Amino acid sequence: MPNKQLFSLLLICIAVATAASIAAEDATVVTCSTVYSSLEPCLGYVLGGGLSVPSECCSGIKSLHRAARTTADRQCFCRCLKNVRSNATETRISRASKLTGICKVNAFFKIRPDFDCSKVK
């Protein structure tokens, strides 16, 4: 009898652990605050005040890409950039779109005036 109770308890523990793991995967880790603070070192380059991209900029981009593991994270990342894009000139958008290539990071989405964050996977 104790083995049946122990087995039932073990099954419940496994079910709870699995549910917690699934919930953690669905939780959005990336926020606009995270995006903006990570990309702050890139502003000089994007705004045209710098000729080269600082290493801190690339570190921030790589950090964001590591943090954005889920579709929800990547879409949030995209929406945060899209919010800023409304005030950006074509030149600034062009400079921003070059950052992933300069930093040697695979882009989750293309930075351009008409990008659709719902299509980010």
Side-chain angles (χ1 to χ4, degrees):
M1 189 72 158
N3 284 340
K4 286 184 181 180
Q5 288 175 338
L6 197 55
F7 182 70
S8 297
L9 182 60
L10 179 62
L11 285 177
I12 290 170
C13 288
I14 291 171
V16 169
T18 302
S21 174
I22 291 169
E25 287 177 12
D26 289 341
T28 301
V29 174
V30 175
T31 65
C32 287
S33 178
T34 306
V35 171
Y36 301 150
S37 64
S38 297
L39 297 180
E40 184 178 6
C42 305
L43 282 177
Y45 174 78
V46 172
L47 297 176
L51 299 175
S52 63
V53 176
S55 62
E56 297 85 8
C57 171
C58 290
S59 296
I61 291 172
K62 290 174 183 177
S63 173
L64 281 172
H65 277 72
R66 281 191 302 273
R69 295 184 203 164
T70 67
T71 298
D73 286 331
R74 291 185 286 275
Q75 288 178 346
C76 182
F77 182 7
C78 178
R79 284 190 302 274
C80 295
L81 291 181
K82 193 167 184 169
N83 288 339
V84 177
R85 179 206 47 92
S86 62
N87 297 326
T89 64
E90 283 296 319
T91 302
R92 290 177 180 168
I93 292 172
S94 174
R95 289 176 72 86
S97 68
K98 294 176 185 174
L99 287 173
T100 53
I102 292 169
C103 295
K104 297 182 173 111
V105 176
N106 291 330
F108 294 131
F109 49 88
K110 296 216 183 276
I111 297 176
R112 55 179 200 248
D114 62 340
F115 60 88
D116 182 357
C117 296
S118 68
K119 293 183 180 179
V120 175
K121 299 296 176 202

